[in-house]
Amino acid sequence: MSYNPADYEARRRGYTQQYAATGAMNAYANFLSQQRGTRGRQDMMQQYDKAQPQVVSGYSRRGLVGPNVKSGIFARGLQDFAKQRAQSFGDYDRGIAEEQRGYDLGEAQRLEAFKNQLADMESEKAQTIADAARQLYARRAGAF
């Protein structure tokens, strides 16, 4: 097999174009994921903001909230509500962060695969050049 630099250049361009195309798709998917995460967090915040007055009114109907009323049950209820809210947001944020790490890992793997493709191609190219050189040397040695 003879060495043809155009073949290797065409393969290199193909690998580069594939890498760029998948990079663009991954970046867009990551962007959409972040948008979904932001909207989901905003929705969760609105739900808790709407629920808070309902929690307070529930204690008020039972006479545990009002002027000159110091209720430990009410204080405990609000603490539980705040803890639940903080835990929900923490869980949600951890889920989003895990998803982001997945995109980052995918990007790192994609980059490594691209580098390996190029390295394999360069190795093959070097082997082809070495084989062509051996053949040429063998022909010259046999000609004398």
Side-chain angles (χ1 to χ4, degrees):
M1 179 175 178
S2 65
Y3 169 67
N4 183 356
D7 291 341
Y8 292 101
E9 181 59 27
R11 282 178 50 199
R12 187 194 62 75
R13 274 195 313 273
Y15 292 153
T16 303
Q17 288 173 347
Q18 179 186 8
Y19 177 74
T22 57
M25 288 188 311
N26 287 349
Y28 186 64
N30 188 5
F31 168 75
L32 291 177
S33 172
Q34 289 174 352
Q35 292 287 13
R36 280 190 304 273
T38 300
R39 279 194 304 273
R41 196 170 202 293
Q42 289 170 344
D43 290 346
M44 188 184 302
M45 188 173 291
Q46 287 176 350
Q47 289 171 356
Y48 275 106
D49 288 347
K50 287 179 184 178
Q52 186 175 1
Q54 294 171 352
V55 169
V56 172
S57 70
Y59 286 105
S60 180
R61 281 192 299 267
R62 293 186 290 177
L64 299 172
V65 177
N68 300 322
V69 176
K70 299 271 185 182
S71 170
I73 295 172
F74 174 67
R76 179 70 178 169
L78 283 184
Q79 286 175 351
D80 290 345
F81 181 79
K83 284 179 186 176
Q84 181 185 14
R85 182 177 191 227
Q87 184 175 10
S88 294
F89 278 110
D91 291 345
Y92 189 82
D93 290 343
R94 279 188 291 282
I96 295 298
E98 186 66 32
E99 191 173 338
Q100 185 62 46
R101 281 192 295 275
Y103 281 111
D104 293 345
L105 176 61
E107 185 63 24
Q109 290 172 332
R110 194 176 69 79
L111 177 60
E112 279 305 308
F114 175 65
K115 287 178 179 179
N116 287 339
Q117 283 178 321
L118 291 180
D120 291 346
M121 186 188 70
E122 288 298 323
S123 178
E124 183 183 322
K125 179 178 165 183
Q127 184 63 43
T128 302
I129 291 171
D131 289 345
R134 273 192 293 280
Q135 290 173 0
L136 183 61
Y137 182 74
R139 285 184 188 160
R140 285 190 179 169
F144 294 118

